[in-house]
Amino acid sequence: MSDAQQRRPAESAAPVCVAVGELESFVGAVLQAAGADAPSAEATVRALVGASLRGVDSHGVRLLPHYVKVLQGGRVKGRPEMRFEARAAAVGVLDADNALGAAAGYRAMAEAVKLAETAGVGAVSVTNSSHFGAAGAYALAAAEAGYLGLSVCNSDSAVLAHSGRDKFHGTNPISFAAPVAGARPYLIDMATSSIPFNRVLQFKALDRELPPEVVVDAAGQLTRDPGRAASLLPLGGATYGYKGAALAGMVEVLSAMLTGMRLSHEIPNMIESDWSEPRRLGQFFLALKPEAFLPGEAFAERMAEYLRALRKQASLPGERVMAAGDREWAVERQRSAQGIPLDAHNWQVFTALAGACGVAALTPI
């Protein structure tokens, strides 16, 4: 790649697109250079590039430098020895051995699907895991296999308790996905905070102002400056945040109490803690087999009927009523054809990673 090609993205505010396949190869090569084995790297590529493809940029390939740091620092094992134990007909526990979170997440959902194949339902809790990126990756994996999927994970404190002064819950994401015959799945993928913490970091890196009423500063005052953000507001904001706080609490029960892992306020900070210290995250995955509840194609037919009725709803001028996942699949189609955009900051970081890890640098489309 020429010097002009390397400078072009960094000198422009406009993002530069990279072909999906090339980005997958780059991310995988960097992870393996940092110490990940092939299965761990493949799972993480699938999660990160998949999130970027769907437009979930806050949890996409921009997380690659962080994963390199935790691999090199020893917080995460690049070659884990994960152990799965079936505890009942439809229940299992996966000890992730401090693996990359994506490796643990995909393995856990695959085990949940296996349980559901015979029992109709499969529930798997995960111990000793780490940051797993976008929760939607794992619910989506279940839906793509023909199952309903649920994935949740708590995280270090970043969100105010409703009516509280200090951060208490993590962003505690929830994802649910359902298969749709002949189409991409129905997909919910959301934090229980008003905005994900990684989105705040993204706005800070781009020097952009935040939306109103999503964060507060150290004094507890609302701010739109990502550099002053001290805590996030729960989903629902200052008035209705009790709803988001309750959902965050549910995630705590499933991810921490059910696994014996750390509560949000006990988890070391993702960025500021020692890179060699495992964070001992717990996670929870659920798979449901539709045919165990309804005969034949009944579920698929009802799902199609629901989506048709929803999308036919009258919309406001200039708007369109969409089902959960519709926006993501539109972005996926566009980026699959045109490439995944990288902003100037990430381009600079990835160029530096290529040099440090001895892998070929990315080239713009």
Side-chain angles (χ1 to χ4, degrees), residues 323-334:
D326 284 358
R327 186 199 70 84
E328 287 83 352
W329 305 135
V331 175
E332 182 181 77
R333 289 190 294 272
Q334 180 186 38

Side-chain angles (χ1 to χ4, degrees), residues 33 36 61 64 75 94 122-124 146 149-150 159 166 174 205 208 215 227 239 247 299 317 324 334 340 347:
V61 295
L64 177 61
R75 176 187 294 176
L94 176 68
V124 174
L150 174 75
V159 187
D166 302 317
I174 299 171
R208 290 175 54 189
V215 303
T239 303
L247 289 173
F299 173 80
Q334 180 186 38
I340 292 176
W347 184 269

Side-chain angles (χ1 to χ4, degrees), residues 40-87:
S40 296
E42 289 168 7
T44 307
V45 168
R46 181 182 175 188
L48 295 187
V49 177
S52 290
L53 263 176
R54 297 190 299 275
V56 190
D57 292 317
S58 60
H59 286 66
V61 295
R62 67 169 296 277
L63 289 172
L64 177 61
H66 175 77
Y67 290 164
V68 169
K69 287 182 179 179
V70 297
L71 281 165
Q72 293 177 337
R75 176 187 294 176
V76 163
K77 292 183 181 179
R79 291 170 170 76
E81 296 181 3
M82 292 189 282
R83 296 176 296 278
F84 178 74
E85 179 186 353
R87 297 281 180 87

